[in-house]
Amino acid sequence: MLSNLFENGTESARVAWSRLPHSDEGELDGAGLLSTATSDRNGVESLDYEVIENYAYREEQAQRGKLFVIYNAGVKWFFALLIGIGTGLAAVFINISVENFAGWKFALIFNIIQKSYLAGCLIYILINLALVFSSVYIITQFAPAAAGSGIPEIKGYLNGVDVPGILLFRTLIGKIFGSIGSVGGGLALGKEGPLVHTGACIASLLGQGGSTKYHLSSRWLQGFKSDRDRRDLVTCGCAAGVAAAFRAPVGGVLFALEEVTSWWRSQLMWRVFFTSAIVAVVVRVAMGWCKSGNCGHFGSGGFIIWDISDGQEDYSFEELLPMALIGVIGGLLGALFNQLTTYVTRWRRNYLHKKGNRVKIYEACLISVLTSVISFGLPLLRNCTPCPDSDPGFEIECPRAPGMDGNYVNFYCSKDKEYNDLATIFFNTQDDAIRNLFSAKTIHEFSARSLLTFLVMFYTLAVVTFGTAVPAGQFVPGIMIGSTYGRLVGIFTVNHYKKLNIEEGTYALLGAASFLGGSMRMTVSLCVIMVEITNNLKFLPLIMLVLLISKAVGDVFNEGLYDEQARLKGIPLLESRPKYEMRKRTAREACGNQKVLSLPRVVKVADVVSILRSNEHNGFPVIDHTRNGERLVIGLMLRSHLLVLLDSKIDFQHSPLPCHSPGGSRAIRPNFSEFAKPVSSKGISIDDIYLSSDDLEMYIDLAPFLNPSPYVVPEDMSLTKVYNLFRQLGLRHLFVVPRASRVMGVITRKDLLIEEETENSATMELQSTSRSAT
């Protein structure tokens, strides 16, 4: 049922319901279970974020003192440090590699076109084709999970969904080297989205101690084996990726909070902030090293920060109308971009990519050739423009040769003091093209015709390129699209108001923010990122204005880009708010009429094997009988824990009677850490376990290993409350039971203030002692 809903994905009501896991449905003597089958045809599984407080866990916690708690906290901070350093170094490596490839390519082509334009065009196409081919070959043959931006998959992981292969070592390698090839090859995509996935991979690999498959593991680093701990590390990695991509540490923290996580804890925020700060330090040190000339072509210009602190000083009330218009345009174009990419991605999945990896390679190479021809050929159709008169304070060089960052590119111009405005955008890296569009004191650098030509062509290329089998981010392409129409509006505003203090670069900044808001639907984090990367706090109210308008306009038509892509990939995200229809349904109605598959407290090994082979459920209620014959649900048993018990065979017993003590009478018992599932695989399979005929006749007492305190809701609770509880607590299973006949007690806020109560009792005891002494 769940897999069919994943495949459909078109009817909004059914999709909303499919996002609420409900395949282990049914009833058992008035008790139901709302849980997840966790496995569909795409191999998607849920994650166990809930702490299983069984007897093994409690024994382990009882043996740990305060010293271990301090040590554990110190290790988490140390891992945050390593994640920051690793992500920062990966970002530096990608940036330097991309900028050097681009700088070497542009310098070479510029020298060739002085002699032959056709030869320069051909070599330009071949260089880009070689880089893109290397990227798509790495992805298709080595790391297929590294395709795309990776943000929808990481968002799903932090939402409680484990997509196979997204955090493996080969995915990390494919993401790094694939991004270098695709971005260096001039495709209409960015490296910033893949950096988020890169940071998550680094965090996950550090948490599991490296990669055992490639013999790059260390037992010393294997400190976090639960899904809950790995979730915290991956959150740090996501924030580190954004901080490294944009040099925006605060924006990285807010991005993790707003966009990718479904929950938040104040303790984790400190570690996430620390990780982002470490990334900022690493990137800053690398920038200082590059300024000394150690990074080759484009070294110092390759780390994103588009400084417009010397731009427009102030704005008037009259400018709010064109700025609001930018927000409307951003919402419309962003929603259209999401819709077009959805159609193209669905067509690729249904018709093109089914034909195998060879077709994926052909497609990426064809798009590379098309992009190269457009970016090299269109500037030739524009006439060169004379350089502006140099003012005494005018420090921008005009013209400049391709191969160095800056404005006013001389591209096949007949005179020395001329430049090609379309080549200034097209024949450049995306970072430097955005820097040129944002630049202040360069009024009339770009003509409206050139900007409109670039907008139409690059928008089309971005739609076609998104979804190819290469690492592809949409942050920077979105900024380029938005800054182009923003600068167009700025040109008309300057011509209309005739004011000298209006800068076209300011409107380019607002356009970039509006398109990202209209496409990705982020507000707070995107606002902070734009302020950090432009180094100008004066435009904060304007950025907030266009973001609110663009998001409101975009929400009228469709969902955000990452939500749409997650839906297409079959990732069952639980959205931030439940659907309106859920208010009219109850938890009992959600359970359906299918019978719940349960286990007795003492179960025969043969029965366990039969149950595990006959279904793919990952959670089973455990039933026990009281003295008067009443059947009670005593806990929840996970499939992975059952497999560990079957594999170890330590807890097999001949008697079908339960053990007298909760912990059992055996001195040897599986450690709680043995139940942890490996992050790079699905763990033990029932087919991997050998059991003899004698083993099958044995019994297992499940009481020491089940979760005795699963989350429970009454059957008449509204589905809206169930949804909020399920999502905010990061649950995988939730029991639905009949309304209890009696109340054991009521817990209030006062009952949870244990420390204050202890202090008060100690004070009262001290006072009574002092009175008796007197």
Side-chain angles (χ1 to χ4, degrees), residues 476-499:
V476 170
I479 292 175
M480 287 195 69
I481 293 171
S483 58
T484 303
Y485 68 73
R487 186 129 187 160
L488 268 172
V489 175
I491 290 176
F492 293 122
T493 305
V494 170
N495 295 333
H496 178 73
Y497 290 116
K498 306 296 183 181
K499 292 185 177 180

Side-chain angles (χ1 to χ4, degrees), residues 270-425:
W270 283 103
R271 294 205 302 273
V272 172
F273 185 79
F274 173 72
T275 305
S276 300
I278 295 299
V279 172
V281 172
V282 171
V283 175
R284 189 70 184 180
V285 171
M287 286 184 60
W289 182 66
C290 287
K291 286 181 179 179
S292 60
N294 297 316
C295 296
H297 289 283
F298 279 16
S300 61
F303 299 98
I304 291 181
I305 185 166
W306 302 301
D307 194 342
I308 57 171
S309 56
D310 59 343
Q312 186 172 332
E313 293 293 334
D314 200 1
Y315 50 90
S316 61
F317 180 79
E318 298 171 335
E319 296 180 66
L320 294 181
L321 179 59
M323 291 175 179
L325 177 62
I326 290 176
V328 175
I329 296 173
L332 294 175
L333 291 181
L336 178 62
F337 183 85
N338 293 357
Q339 202 65 39
L340 291 176
T341 53
T342 300
Y343 291 150
V344 173
T345 303
R346 184 180 291 116
W347 177 81
R348 276 195 176 101
R349 182 187 61 184
N350 295 335
Y351 299 102
L352 194 62
H353 287 178
K354 282 185 176 181
K355 299 179 180 179
N357 291 333
R358 183 175 297 180
V359 175
K360 296 180 182 179
I361 296 175
Y362 291 159
E363 177 198 21
C365 292
L366 179 62
I367 292 176
S368 173
V369 173
L370 179 64
T371 304
S372 300
V373 170
I374 291 175
S375 61
F376 203 93
L378 278 184
L380 191 63
L381 302 179
R382 288 289 299 159
N383 296 326
C384 291
T385 306
C387 289
D389 296 332
S390 298
D391 297 330
F394 193 77
E395 300 178 353
I396 300 179
E397 177 187 358
C398 179
R400 71 167 180 86
M404 296 300 293
D405 59 297
N407 302 72
Y408 303 107
V409 173
N410 185 320
F411 183 82
Y412 210 62
C413 295
S414 57
K415 298 180 180 180
D416 292 337
K417 284 297 181 178
E418 290 183 339
Y419 74 97
N420 190 311
D421 60 346
L422 197 54
T424 303
I425 313 175

Side-chain angles (χ1 to χ4, degrees), residues 12 32 63 65 98 166 190 209 230 253 356 390 422 443 476 596 621 675 702:
S12 59
Q63 296 173 1
V98 169
I166 63 171
R230 289 168 184 157
V253 176
S390 298
L422 197 54
I443 297 180
V476 170
V596 173
F675 292 105
L702 301 179

Side-chain angles (χ1 to χ4, degrees), residues 430-449:
Q430 293 181 17
D431 293 352
D432 289 322
I434 294 171
R435 192 175 287 109
N436 295 338
L437 291 169
F438 280 2
S439 61
K441 314 302 180 185
T442 56
I443 297 180
H444 308 307
E445 177 184 2
F446 304 99
S447 65
R449 182 178 299 178

